[in-house]
Amino acid sequence: MKAVVIYWTGTGNTEAMANAVAEGAGVNPVTVSEFSEDITQYDRIALGCPAMGAEELEESEFEPFFSEIENKISGKTVGLFGSYGWGDGEWMRLWQDRVTAAGASLLNGEGLIINEAPDDDGLESCRALGEQLIK
């Protein structure tokens, strides 16, 4: 089993989450712009992106990346996480739907969202997500 944690961050909140998820999974996190491997080589994938604009995935780097891998994640276990500063989590619900429609198994049945910067409890939830990713 091979796991990876890939993320995009604007303010550092999702980066903090990614670091904690990666710590729990025992892997090194990688930004979406640094990821150059074949996603099909991974069985378990954690993806992190904050809510942007009108509750959307970040559109210049992350959305194109996710669109490119979306048809390659069938049969994979995928964990989603991200921070938000407004709204009700619609971006995560839409993202969850895309993951399951692509044939992937959504870890815990839903993504992990944290309002603004993660506190100690939020970071613990992220570490737990990472631990679940590799089980």
Side-chain angles (χ1 to χ4, degrees):
M1 177 192 63
K2 195 171 176 186
V4 65
V5 176
I6 307 167
Y7 71 97
W8 185 92
T9 193
T11 63
N13 294 340
T14 301
E15 180 177 21
M17 294 178 73
N19 288 334
V21 172
E23 180 184 335
V27 300
N28 291 320
V30 60
T31 64
V32 69
S33 62
E34 296 170 335
F35 185 78
S36 60
E37 298 180 54
D38 180 357
I39 199 72
T40 63
Q41 300 304 305
Y42 293 90
D43 306 299
R44 298 178 171 263
I45 304 160
L47 299 170
C49 185
M52 302 293 291
E55 288 207 69
E56 304 165 334
L57 295 174
E58 190 279 329
E59 63 186 5
S60 66
E61 285 185 70
F62 197 88
E63 176 60 44
F65 168 77
F66 186 72
S67 291
E68 183 180 309
I69 69 164
E70 199 166 356
N71 67 346
K72 299 176 183 175
I73 61 172
S74 180
K76 310 284 184 188
T77 297
V78 177
L80 302 178
F81 63 92
S83 64
Y84 69 105
W86 60 90
D88 67 356
E90 179 183 17
W91 106 100
M92 184 59 74
R93 290 189 302 274
L94 295 172
W95 195 11
Q96 291 169 178
D97 291 346
R98 288 175 68 184
V99 166
T100 56
S105 174
L106 186 61
L107 189 63
N108 297 329
E110 64 182 0
L112 172 62
I113 61 174
I114 293 177
N115 187 262
E116 303 294 346
D119 59 12
D120 289 342
D121 288 341
L123 291 174
E124 186 55 40
S125 294
C126 292
R127 282 189 283 278
L129 180 70
E131 291 170 2
Q132 292 164 344
L133 184 70
I134 59 168
K135 285 186 178 177

